[in-house]
Amino acid sequence: MVLNLEENSVESEDVAHLEKHNIIVTTLEKIWNWSRARSFWPLTYGCNCCPIEMIAAGGARFDIARYGYEVFRASPRQADLLIVAGPITLKMAPVIKRVYEQMPAPKWVVAMGNCATSGGPFRDGYSIYPGADSLFKVDVFVPGCPPRPEALFHGLLELKKKVEKGGSGQQ
Amino acid sequence: MNQTELDQLISPFRDKIGDFEIAADKFISYIIIKPDQLPALMQLLRKDCGFNHLSDLTAVDYGEEFEIIYRLYAIPGKVNVTVKTRVPRSQSELASICSIYPTADWQEREAYDLMGIIFDGHPNLVRVLLPDDFTGHPLRKDYQKGR
Amino acid sequence: MTTLFDTDQYIINIGPQHPSTHGGLHVEALLDGEEVQEAIVHLGYVHRSLEKIAESRTYTQFIPYASRMDYLATHLPTLGYVQAVEKLMGIEVPERAEYIRIIVGELSRIASHMLFVGSLAIDLGATTGLVYCLRDRELIMNLFEMSSGQRLLASYARVGGFAEDLPEEFFPALQAFLDKLPTMVEEYHGLLTGNEILQARCRGIGVLTADMAVAYGVTGPNLRASGVAYDLRKDDPYGIYERFDFKIPLGERGDCWDRLMVRVEEIEESGRIIRQALKDLPGGEIRSKVPRILKPEKGLEVYYRIESAKGELGYFLVSDGGEKPYRIHIRAPSFINLMALGPISRGGKLQDIIANIATLDPVLGESDR
């Protein structure tokens, strides 16, 4: 079980014994990571087609709530996950940078869609940034144009694994 | 409208706006005027001919000149008039028709933003789609991409 | 000299990162207390240089870009574009393809209007409305996926027809959807239109008179809500729309309520059109013989317009004889409809700006291109 200490000084027999009595032995960091990974609060941000699939992911058919990520917050002060859905244009770049800086640590970034990953089909245009990682660090890239809601979930679950393993998030 | 109908509609106004040409391509007929005749013609088309809907205002870069195209419709209905005018690249300015067709406001701003055509008399001729500090007019054929 | 109770003008920014702005719309509201003195609209946050990119793509390669403009009505922008190229090149389309264009075009209109109803509901605080509309929209997404493989941004239309024919399972699924459509509309009426709060938030709010609408070039359901009976499917028919019997819903006052009701009624009318098209659907080819590389005649230009879900969508193509267009200009209805946002918000309250944005139904991908 992920919360229990696997490799450490405590003997595994002792751990098994404690488990039988519903006692979990772990570190605080593991508890933080476990909780954070199961409850990202995404920011309502989106430009263009990808947020429509993000909204569909929040609907009843795909249901992002079963993963615990349905609490979309409008204010960056209350969000810890920035899903960059859509292209970053020249005018939008300072806005999204500011929104990113307003989010308190720890925070994570998922680049959703081809435009956020690399500029996408508009890469050779004069007004697009070549991906969200030209502005800040991105944790997970979800390719697709647009990615299906299931693809977004796959990306979020990869982020969940990353956070559980101890990615302490961007500061 | 075909060429004859267009001629019949516009010919009575020759004394008010000056001389102009009526031409046709494979699909439509259109009026070709000089830039300084534009406000007078637009006023006439709006007030006397009932063309109340400026559907589209766009510009094309033809190298030495820019061609600005206005598409007017009398709605409800489908009667339409297309007006074309050309300005030289070295002095790409013409009069704004915002006061006659309020819908020209943002469309002229877009033509200014992307093509660099100046509309005299426009109440707020600033960029609409690109950031204010962007240099250059990207839809021009000689625009070099560089941020 | 200011006294304690004097008020100052307060500037509040709505967007571009905002849950209710339908993308990257930025409205700068100048307020006197809660009353809006001026609502200045700033666009360009989703400007992806589509018109410039078009000059370095072939005519067929531009089709996916067209659907990335108005991404809510999946097929309508692509249909408008391929029809413009067909007119430019004088290509005839087989009968079966014409009927299927009607079917997928009207399905796209229903999908767009459903999301309109859902997003209006959630913008005004009725979260349940969005969930119902998304659920119903998923049925249409299934149909699109069956036909083209893509849910949202289907590049199914081709110059001369469609990429391939509809599969067998499409038709029973479409029939099932059409049978459920009246119940869906009834549910929207039950949830939303009878609701006192929604009525208070929408009736008499954001009045766009007919004169103002025509002056600002507003088209589509917004114009019809102001009482002007202008719909390109009737006034300047394209494709085979003349063969179908449907009404054009009109509003009276041009307020937010009328803009909502016109679209809900249009969902029903689109259902009627699809039923008629399904009944008369002929067999035959799905695409006419078209040269592999499209090279329209040099110097030819065409302006082709369709009635998109948002209004009059126009494509202006200029050819220089090559395989890539010399110039593409897109007359985007959302760009021009948004011009009306400032005037209709003036004198209203701050929260009415949200209702106005939602009922003008802009799609920022189209307005910024």
Side-chain angles (χ1 to χ4, degrees), chain A residues 100 108-110 132-139 141 162 169-170:
Chain A
Y100 172 78
W108 296 272
V109 178
V110 169
D133 54 347
S134 59
L135 289 178
F136 34 68
K137 182 172 169 297
V138 173
D139 291 292
F141 294 90
K162 190 173 177 179
Q170 303 177 39

Side-chain angles (χ1 to χ4, degrees), chain B residues 25-27 30 46 52-63 67 69 71 73 75-78 84 101-107 109-110 114-115 128-130 138-143, chain C residues 41-45 47 51-52 55 87-88 90 214-219 223 228-230 235-237 297 300-303 305 312 316 318 325-327 329 331 335-336 338-339 367-369:
Chain B
D25 65 18
K26 196 168 165 186
F27 306 110
Y30 42 88
R46 176 96 205 256
N52 50 1
H53 176 59
L54 170 63
S55 163
D56 187 37
L57 192 168
T58 189
V60 188
D61 180 356
Y62 283 116
E67 183 172 81
I69 306 168
R71 294 182 206 276
Y73 289 83
I75 64 172
K78 65 174 180 180
K84 291 191 181 188
Y101 288 101
T103 184
D105 187 348
W106 285 12
Q107 302 196 59
R109 277 175 72 185
E110 186 194 333
L114 300 178
M115 225 24 132
V128 63
L129 293 177
L130 287 166
L139 277 182
R140 291 190 173 195
K141 292 290 177 186
D142 59 355
Y143 173 76
Chain C
V41 180
H42 298 274
L43 291 178
Y45 292 91
H47 178 61
E51 294 184 1
K52 187 75 181 181
E55 293 170 13
K87 184 166 178 187
L88 195 60
V214 176
Y216 283 112
V218 173
T219 48
L223 181 64
V228 180
Y230 184 57
D235 284 73
D236 194 2
E297 211 178 296
L300 217 51
E301 54 183 57
V302 75
Y303 180 65
R305 22 180 230 155
E312 178 185 326
F316 173 55
V318 180
Y326 185 76
R327 171 94 166 95
H329 171 72
R331 190 261 182 210
F335 180 67
I336 297 176
L338 274 175
M339 256 192 260
S367 77
D368 288 352
R369 277 153 292 149

Side-chain angles (χ1 to χ4, degrees), chain A residues 97-171:
Chain A
K97 193 103 182 61
R98 189 165 178 191
V99 158
Y100 172 78
E101 283 160 8
Q102 285 178 338
M103 286 166 67
K107 56 195 170 192
W108 296 272
V109 178
V110 169
M112 176 183 180
N114 288 351
C115 292
T117 305
S118 68
F122 310 106
R123 197 194 166 94
D124 55 337
Y126 51 79
S127 63
I128 291 284
Y129 273 71
D133 54 347
S134 59
L135 289 178
F136 34 68
K137 182 172 169 297
V138 173
D139 291 292
V140 176
F141 294 90
V142 181
C145 193
R148 290 182 63 107
E150 291 101 326
L152 176 63
F153 291 159
H154 184 199
L156 290 174
L157 290 174
E158 291 294 318
L159 181 64
K160 176 179 171 185
K161 277 190 232 163
K162 190 173 177 179
V163 172
E164 269 180 349
K165 269 207 218 83
S168 59
Q170 303 177 39
Q171 303 301 325

